[in-house]
Amino acid sequence: AAGERAAQDRAWRDLSTANIRFHQALVGLAGSPRTDELMRGVLAELRLVFHVMDDPRRFHEPYLSRNRHILEALQAGAVAEAERLLTGYLEDSLRQLSGAYAAKVPAGG
């Protein structure tokens, strides 16, 4: 809901924060303090990447509805579906982040 409000307000950094909180909550479902700590580090690094993106809206906005679908699958108890959705989401975001990074770093750099 926070992400949806941020998108409506065109507050892309707030949308980024909501997305990070969503993923922290997903990891929290595992009930593992070690996994929580690992994820905090990963998300901190991602936040740094998000701050230098040329077009944060283009990156964050498409994932907002995907977050909603993952949440709805979990609420419905469709864990396998949520896992499938999350796997696709992570694969797509990895490709997008890698592409954005490659575009910023000179070849061989």
Side-chain angles (χ1 to χ4, degrees):
E4 290 164 347
R5 283 191 303 276
Q8 185 176 11
D9 294 342
R10 305 176 68 82
W12 308 119
R13 286 195 179 183
D14 292 345
L15 178 53
S16 170
T17 297
N19 186 52
I20 284 172
R21 289 186 178 147
F22 175 77
H23 287 282
Q24 282 176 318
L26 283 179
V27 170
L29 294 173
S32 168
R34 294 183 85 192
T35 304
D36 288 344
E37 182 61 31
L38 175 67
M39 191 63 172
R40 273 193 291 281
V42 169
L43 292 172
E45 290 185 31
L46 281 174
R47 183 174 286 285
L48 293 174
V49 172
F50 294 160
H51 283 293
V52 298
M53 295 187 111
D54 291 332
D55 187 358
R57 176 186 182 178
R58 189 172 63 86
F59 179 76
H60 294 296
E61 195 172 42
Y63 292 99
L64 182 58
S65 63
R66 295 175 83 172
N67 286 347
R68 173 63 65 190
H69 295 141
I70 293 165
L71 175 62
E72 288 170 352
L74 289 171
Q75 288 172 328
V79 176
E81 175 66 5
E83 181 180 2
R84 185 190 67 74
L85 292 169
L86 182 59
T87 297
Y89 177 117
L90 294 175
E91 289 169 352
D92 291 346
S93 65
L94 175 61
R95 273 191 297 278
Q96 191 174 13
L97 284 170
S98 296
Y101 180 77
K104 291 228 179 238
V105 176

